[in-house]
Amino acid sequence: MDVESVLQALFADGRAVDIALVFIGIEFAYLLWRAPQAQRGSVVVNLIFALGPGVCLMLALRCALTDANVIWIAFWLVASLPLHVGDVMRRKL
């Protein structure tokens, strides 16, 4: 099997997105584990606002790659907006 066919298979059924989401989950767990015990609550909120929009966009991509109903693509795209706005407000940009 050549590299092109492997990549095509990974993207055709959305597994590439699944792999990326696993790494985001590992990143979330690692950053939470490294946070001081007293600050874990605020770290969880910060991580949700920092990682959430990207996760939503990746889920929308997965839906698009797997020919899911357009409602699901729109749902994940719309879900990313309040998380992104919250992240911007949290950073006070």
Side-chain angles (χ1 to χ4, degrees):
M1 231 179 172
D2 63 343
V3 174
E4 183 179 345
S5 62
V6 170
L7 289 175
Q8 184 142 7
L10 283 174
F11 280 93
D13 62 3
R15 282 185 287 165
V17 175
D18 294 340
I19 292 167
L21 289 171
V22 166
F23 279 102
I24 290 174
I26 292 169
E27 177 185 13
F28 182 91
Y30 174 76
L31 293 172
L32 187 59
W33 174 69
R34 294 277 303 172
Q37 184 71 30
Q39 296 176 349
R40 290 232 169 116
S42 64
V43 168
V44 167
V45 171
N46 288 339
L47 287 174
I48 288 171
F49 281 118
L51 298 175
V55 168
C56 289
L57 293 174
M58 292 180 78
L59 289 169
L61 173 63
R62 188 184 195 293
C63 289
L65 289 172
T66 58
D67 294 326
N69 192 314
V70 71
I71 296 297
W72 286 109
I73 299 169
F75 172 80
W76 289 116
L77 289 174
V78 170
S80 71
L81 180 62
L83 291 171
H84 177 65
V85 170
D87 185 39
V88 170
M89 289 175 62
R90 180 184 61 86
R91 295 176 192 233
K92 298 180 177 141
L93 294 177

